Amino acid sequence: METALDTLVIGGGQAGLALGYHLRRSGHRFMIIDAHDRVGEA
């Protein structure tokens, strides 16, 4: 089953995680993708 997203955030650094926080508070469906293995890695 596929779920439609409102937003795709590319980059899980500080800015991407902050954006995810605000998207969640706004009720948006989103996904954060990043090339690194760990969240917040620079």
Side-chain angles (χ1 to χ4, degrees):
M1 181 173 156
E2 294 183 25
T3 302
L5 297 173
D6 298 315
T7 305
L8 177 63
V9 179
I10 300 174
Q14 290 180 356
L17 295 176
L19 181 56
Y21 171 81
H22 290 286
L23 288 169
R24 171 69 69 167
R25 288 183 49 102
S26 299
H28 290 83
R29 294 173 302 212
F30 67 96
M31 179 181 292
I32 300 173
I33 60 172
D34 193 273
H36 295 285
D37 293 332
R38 296 184 336 184
V39 174
E41 185 138 338

